[in-house]
Amino acid sequence: MELKNAMTERRSIRKFKEEKVKREDIEAMIDAAILAPSWKNSQVSRYHVVMSDEALLKVKSFLPEFNANNVADAPVLLVCTIIKDRSGFNRDASPANELGNGWGMYDNGLQHMNLTLKATELGLSTLILGLRDHIQIADYLKLGDEEMITSIIAVGYADIHPDMPKRKAVEDITKFY
């Protein structure tokens, strides 16, 4: 699949087929994510792959009702985290600029784009969630204090095929100097 096709075909999907996703496909998605650039090559992103029926039920129970409904049939949830205080930080652990851990979030977002485009290439669909009970999820997955949850990405085979939402034009978001 050409990159442009993956970018135009990718959608945020809120209804998935009840069909298992192969572990190799999840690994390929994460492998694509790893190729994204990061601050001083710090590579702070981590992925906790929730695939078992028991773990899926538990993690889905830590989502607000509307998000739990959106991913009710998703066969995989990726709990995405960053290692805090590395990307965007100096060797003495001081922030390199005013963004601090914002750089880790930025790096994680770059990885998310690669990951979701690879999913599209593999015939999979995704939905990136920001609202969740991060404390309960971190406790359930036994995440250390050094990790911060950034998002959850639902992965599966789309059971709906929405049109692309309207996008702004280049001239609406760009200033040339």
Side-chain angles (χ1 to χ4, degrees):
M1 173 179 285
E2 292 290 322
L3 177 60
K4 178 76 173 184
N5 290 343
M7 290 188 299
T8 58
E9 290 178 23
R10 189 215 56 79
R11 298 284 181 279
S12 294
I13 296 298
R14 291 169 176 82
K15 180 138 180 61
F16 297 91
K17 294 179 183 176
E18 291 187 34
E19 183 178 337
K20 296 287 184 192
V21 173
K22 293 183 280 190
R23 178 181 172 144
E24 306 85 66
D25 287 344
I26 298 300
E27 290 173 349
M29 291 165 52
I30 294 170
D31 195 44
I34 290 168
L35 297 175
S38 64
W39 175 285
K40 295 184 180 178
N41 199 34
S42 56
Q43 302 180 55
V44 296
S45 297
R46 300 293 183 270
Y47 299 94
H48 301 271
V49 183
V50 179
M51 295 179 79
S52 74
D53 291 339
E54 176 187 333
L56 282 165
L57 283 173
K58 196 67 169 174
V59 173
K60 288 175 184 179
S61 76
F62 301 140
L63 302 176
E65 184 178 354
F66 65 93
N67 270 349
N69 290 337
N70 285 336
V71 301
D73 299 323
V76 178
L77 294 177
L78 302 177
V79 177
C80 308
T81 70
I82 62 167
I83 302 299
K84 297 187 289 189
D85 303 335
R86 285 188 44 207
S87 183
F89 285 78
N90 298 311
R91 291 186 192 273
D92 66 359
S94 64
N97 68 20
E98 77 282 0
L99 295 181
N101 277 309
W103 280 107
M105 301 290 275
Y106 181 82
D107 292 349
N108 194 238
L110 292 170
Q111 283 204 355
H112 283 23
M113 194 72 251
N114 279 12
L115 188 144
T116 59
L117 290 173
K118 183 63 176 182
T120 302
E121 179 186 60
L122 294 170
L124 294 163
S125 296
T126 57
L127 177 65
I128 301 173
L129 307 172
L131 300 177
R132 70 279 185 247
D133 187 325
H134 70 278
I135 294 170
Q136 285 188 305
I137 294 170
D139 183 56
Y140 177 71
L141 296 177
K142 298 177 178 36
L143 302 180
D145 289 339
E146 72 280 357
E147 280 187 79
M148 176 172 48
I149 297 173
T150 61
S151 64
I152 296 174
I153 303 177
V155 182
Y157 294 95
D159 201 21
I160 56 173
H161 301 284
D163 292 332
M164 178 185 280
K166 184 175 176 9
R167 301 290 189 205
K168 294 183 179 188
V170 172
E171 58 270 10
D172 294 334
I173 65 168
T174 308
K175 291 183 180 180
F176 290 92
Y177 298 93

